[in-house]
Amino acid sequence: MNIMVFIKQVPDTETKIKIADDGKSIVEDGINWIVSPYDEFAIEEAVKTKENLGGEVTVVTMGPKRAESALRTALAMGCDKAIHLEDDAFEGADAYSTAKALAKVIEKHNPDLIFFGKQGVGNDNTQVGQLVAEMVGIGHIGTCIKLEIDGDTIRGEREIEGGRETVETKLPAIVTAQRGLNEPRYPNLRGIMKAKKKPLEKLTPADLGLSADEVGLAGAKTVYLSLELPPARQAGKKIEVEPEVAAKEIVEFLKNEAKVL
Amino acid sequence: MILVFADQRDGNLKKASKEAISEGKRLATSLSDSLGVVVLGSGAKGVVDEIKKYGADKVFVSETPDAYSPDLYAEGVAKIAKENDAKVVLFPGTSMCVDFAPRVSAKLEAGLVTDITATEVKDGKLVVKKPVYSGKAIATVDYKSDIAMATLRPNVFELAESNGAGEVVEFSVDGEAKAKAIKVELKEAGKVELTEASIIVSGGRGVKGPEYFQNELQQLADLLGAAVGASRAAVDAGWIDHSHQVGQTGKVVSPKVYMAFGISGAIQHLAGMGTSQYIIAVNKDPDAPIFNVASLGVVADLFKVVPALIEEIKKAK
């Protein structure tokens, strides 16, 4: 099976966010860049599927030079080759213009099964996998927590309000991975050494048959006007009293402040 | 037209749908435009009257497709948006809409901003606000497309009933689904959904095991009509299912009251509940970071406070 997994490099989730001088982006100095946590589930599922059914896994990312290290991590986890969409023209992309470029990679390589993380942490769009599915014209299973492959039919469970639903579609298809789908493996030393020798191909908009104004900021449908820190929450009352007194205080609060009792 | 998609399953209109319609009506008023609501799937006709209460001028209703299909639902909404020259398309931020709204965005070649918490009309155009980096920053986002789309964070936008023309237009969504739901299991029927709850009773590492979630915290939640939440530590320990997790890798919630028991308040947890209106925290550790954001902080042993609290609430009711 020809498997493809799309990943994004994002700031470590513990990063303290500082707003840059332009007022619409974050200060990138000192940030520890990681593979977006949901993408780890996508990589694991792609590699696991290859191990079970045979085939090859190609890992793809769009991003600046530094994103190469995210690809190497995925290769160390067991992906076979990597594609890096790296060009100044890709910068400033939103979910739409990102999807536009990624859809071209799928059209070029015709994978059978494609994985995404359900969202890239940071911008938290939760959009790109589904956008690409629509642009390519194939089905998708979103925020998948359990996947079953049965010939060219796939079934995935997803969480809905108060329960779960099972969605079925035919290959080729896109699956976006949610926490719970699997336990991602840690790359071991042997994997890391092997990853250094695996092929990594660089692609520009022209390689994908796209003009510079269809990608990045130029091709975006949304644009950040500003980025602000949220208003700081003020701590209220703090008490250290006997449990019975505490219980009474909480009930008073629920009644008189929150007015929910 | 301002178009809002109403999420319903089997004739149950989600609260988040009503919030989205209410916000659609406010935008329609400030942009001097009309409000259309589109509702799909089996049970759709049953919610039309409820939709009208929130000021819809037109309700586009189709009982097809019978089962949820991300591609067919997208087709239905995109068709109505095109035919009625929609300028804005809003969705409640439910699991269904988060799943298929991007497909509508691709069909309409329109910008979509997910999980918005505020709207603004600037020079006759919609601008939205969205928390990013798990709420550590707020982005103000503008659209470069003719149509502006957004999904709305549940529990943030106020419900408001109002009047509209209320014309009902029936249509159908045909065609073969690429993907569709073949089974729905509602395991927690009757339980309050985390993202829609106005009160959340949440437990963390301090709760020390699964039993306390199932018994005491559940009992407290039932008394308050609340949903049960959990921190990542409690979920990772296997005490409660991931569907209850609040935080960066779980659900983002904004209830009226968030009650945190034995939760230290790691940054990744605060990211998921920092927009709650009131936070009540009970923790043994006086230095727990959760106290920095708590409206009411109680330094105490939760195992003693919770039973006393259950008794007090019973008395108060």
Side-chain angles (χ1 to χ4, degrees), chain B residues 137-184:
Chain B
I138 311 287
T140 303
V141 191
D142 190 12
Y143 295 91
K144 286 163 69 185
S145 50
D146 295 335
I147 305 173
M149 297 178 52
T151 68
L152 280 56
R153 177 176 290 194
N155 253 351
V156 170
F157 293 88
E158 248 175 80
L159 289 177
E161 294 193 6
S162 60
N163 298 316
E167 184 193 339
V168 178
V169 182
E170 289 192 27
F171 74 113
S172 68
V173 183
D174 308 311
E176 197 167 330
K178 291 190 176 83
K180 70 171 178 187
I182 54 167
K183 192 167 81 176
V184 175

Side-chain angles (χ1 to χ4, degrees), chain A residues 1-3 49 53 110-115 137-141 147-155 168-175, chain B residues 178:
Chain A
M1 188 174 297
N2 183 1
I3 304 164
T49 305
L53 301 174
N110 293 307
D112 304 300
L113 182 55
I114 303 131
F115 292 98
I138 58 179
H140 84 266
I141 300 174
L147 183 67
E148 182 191 313
I149 301 169
D150 180 4
D152 70 342
T153 299
I154 60 170
R155 281 176 283 273
E168 184 178 275
T169 188
K170 294 251 185 249
L171 296 180
I174 287 177
V175 175
Chain B
K178 291 190 176 83

